Every structure is written in structure tokens, then in C-alpha cells.
Amino acid sequence: MITQILLQQTIIMFALMLLGLLLSRCGMITEQGSRDLSNVLLYAVIPCVILRSYMSEFSTEKLRAMGLSALIAVIAFAASIAVAYLTCGTRHRIENFAVAFGNAGFIGIPLVTAVFGPEAAFYVVSFSTFANLLQWTYGIVIISGKKETMNLRMVFVNPVFISMVIGIALFVLQPTLPTVVTGTIGYIADGNTVLAMIILGYYLSRVQLRGLFADVRLYLFSALRLLVVPAVTILVFLPFPFARGEITLITLIAAATPIASSTAIFAQKFDQDYRRAVSYVCLSTILSVATLPL
């Protein structure tokens, strides 16, 4: 049943990505337009997704589950970073970043909520937050090759971290929010999947499809991200008795997502091969239609 829902959801997301591709090819989305959509997604939609996930009734059981999800997320990232470093080292900087970090925010959250319901985003937030923290510390050093580029301020002054702190406060303090507020947050959060995939569709329109599907190197590193990382993550989970059940499965779905869109953003920011990074993001996203259900 879960596999069927995952397959349906990934096909829907792929169709939305093709819509973004079509809109771009028809000139209806420009480069500036894609940047504007990315800003809407990053600064409004994803924070609302996080806030909505925390807007649930408080219980000590949920609090323990949140702590458990954070611990499981740490184990999952230890696995992905180890695979990335052992296979790519520091010579292949873009590839190292690409293998280490999946698209948990843009793709993981929609997939998890489609399978387990909106409340399941509560358990993906820990994974997304760790991804954000690691990308702005370890990730920046890997992709730039310079330790001085690490910006700790950006780790804590960013929409994901801030919305998580506010969300935890809402969960623990349980204030009564007006229906207008909760309804607005819900409507904004609902735009996550559509906007994320349309933006990825724009990225896809920027690369040559013939070159995308003909480059063996792209398949190799996409396979590391989509197949090897989830497989190693499962093996790493095995010795831990607490790494069982729904929370672990939710984390595994997030860990199995394709290469993060931030790979292209960071590559562009630190003068790496931006087009190659975009190719990794696009091809792994297309291949994930098959690998995520698997």
C-alpha cells in the first residue's frame, strides 16, 4: 500500500515538474521568475509547512517521538555523509555534496505527508533542520574547499530554523490561534509540492536533455544518492532497536530523496560547475520516480 502511494505521488510530482518545463520552454517562467518562486518557497511556504506540522495537541509521547526522530535523523546523515566522503572524497566537491544531501524539504515532506498524512511532517522537520544545519557548515566547506566560508550566523538566522523554533514553542505552549491564522498557514503550506516541482521543471529546461541522459557519470552519482545511500542507511539502522516503525520509515523516505536543489544553488554561489550541478539535480529527480517506490 505504501509503495503504491509513493509511486502515485512521485508520478504526480514528475508531472508537475514537466509542467514547469513546459512553462519555461513557452517563456512563461524566466530565470528571474524562477528565483522569485524559489524565494516564495524558501521564505513563506516551507516555514508554513513546518509551522503547520507543529500545530498539534501536545503530549509527552509526541515529545519523545520528536526526540527519537532527531536521533534517527543524525544516524541517517552519518550514513549519507560517510557514503559521500568515501566515494567522492574532496576532489569531487559537487558530487560529494550531491550524494550527502537529498531533497528532503521540497520532495521528502510532500511524499511523507501523502503517505502518512499532514501530521507526519512533524517527524520530517528534524531531518530537514539537520540538513539545513549541515549544508551551511559541512556542506559549504566541502563544496568550496575553504573552511573560512562557513557561516554559522546563516545556520541559525534562516527561515527553516526560525520557523522550527516558533513551531516548537507553539507545540509546547499550546496557544489558541485564530482560525484565520491557522487557515492562512494551511493554504500557504499547501503550495509546497506545486512550487517546488515547477522550479525543478525550470531547472530541467536549462539543460540539454540529450546530454543529460547520455552522461554515464550523472547516472553513477545519481545511483549513489538514490540507491546506495538508502541501502547503507537501512544497514546502519539495524543495530539500533529504537530504529523501527513509522518514524524510521519516514526518515528513510527523506533519506532516499533525489539530489537536493541546493546543490545547484551552492555550486553557483561558490563558483563551481553550476550546469553540472543542475544536471545532477534533474536526472536524479527523474530517476527517483522509479527508485523511491523501490
Side-chain angles (χ1 to χ4, degrees):
M1 182 63 180
I2 290 176
T3 303
Q4 183 180 357
I5 296 173
L6 275 172
L7 179 59
Q8 290 173 349
Q9 187 65 17
T10 49
I11 291 173
I12 289 170
M13 294 170 78
F14 182 66
L16 291 171
M17 187 169 67
L18 290 180
L19 173 62
L21 171 64
L22 180 62
L23 291 172
S24 176
R25 289 286 170 84
C26 293
M28 296 179 184
I29 299 179
T30 62
E31 182 175 357
Q32 183 58 47
S34 72
R35 289 180 180 176
D36 293 338
L37 289 176
S38 296
N39 285 332
V40 172
L41 190 67
L42 180 62
Y43 292 100
V45 177
I46 290 180
C48 284
V49 170
I50 294 171
L51 288 175
R52 183 171 66 176
S53 72
Y54 281 111
M55 284 161 34
S56 60
E57 187 176 349
F58 177 84
S59 69
T60 53
E61 184 180 346
K62 281 186 177 180
L63 191 61
R64 282 196 298 269
M66 183 171 65
L68 179 60
S69 68
L71 178 58
I72 292 173
V74 169
I75 296 171
F77 273 114
S80 67
I81 288 174
V83 171
Y85 193 83
L86 290 173
T87 56
C88 305
T90 55
R91 290 189 304 113
H92 306 291
R93 299 192 177 281
I94 292 176
E95 288 76 9
N96 190 323
F97 191 99
V99 174
F101 299 108
N103 220 340
F106 289 1
I107 294 179
I109 290 176
L111 279 176
V112 166
T113 53
V115 175
F116 297 101
E119 66 280 356
F122 184 85
Y123 303 114
V124 192
V125 169
S126 297
F127 193 94
S128 298
T129 303
F130 277 118
N132 183 71
L133 294 174
L134 288 168
Q135 284 178 14
W136 283 98
T137 51
Y138 173 81
I140 281 182
V141 173
I142 284 296
I143 207 164
S144 68
K146 301 174 183 176
K147 290 184 179 180
E148 59 270 21
T149 56
M150 186 185 298
N151 190 338
L152 289 176
R153 179 178 174 274
M154 288 301 296
V155 171
F156 300 104
V157 185
N158 67 77
V160 173
F161 186 81
I162 291 171
S163 55
M164 185 202 70
V165 172
I166 295 172
I168 291 175
L170 292 175
F171 175 64
V172 173
L173 300 176
Q174 291 289 296
T176 302
L177 298 176
T179 304
V180 172
V181 174
T182 57
T184 302
I185 290 173
Y187 279 122
I188 296 172
D190 286 340
N192 186 36
T193 305
V194 175
L195 280 179
M197 299 316 297
I198 286 177
I199 292 167
L200 284 175
Y202 172 81
Y203 282 164
L204 184 59
S205 72
R206 299 295 94 188
V207 300
Q208 292 183 344
L209 293 181
R210 182 180 300 176
L212 184 69
F213 291 109
D215 191 334
V216 175
R217 184 186 178 90
L218 296 180
Y219 285 97
L220 174 62
F221 288 103
S222 293
L224 286 173
R225 172 68 243 169
L226 297 170
L227 297 174
V228 177
V229 166
V232 171
T233 302
I234 291 172
L235 292 175
V236 171
F237 281 156
L238 290 179
F240 300 98
F242 57 81
R244 303 287 186 274
E246 187 174 290
I247 294 176
T248 302
L249 183 54
I250 288 170
T251 304
L252 182 60
I253 292 173
T257 51
I259 292 169
S261 305
S262 54
T263 306
I265 296 169
F266 278 67
Q268 188 176 37
K269 183 177 179 66
F270 295 105
D271 299 319
Q272 299 293 323
D273 191 339
Y274 167 70
R275 292 190 179 277
R276 181 155 57 92
V278 169
S279 296
Y280 279 127
V281 173
C282 292
L283 183 63
S284 66
T285 302
I286 293 170
L287 296 176
S288 70
V289 174
T291 61
L292 274 167
L294 175 64

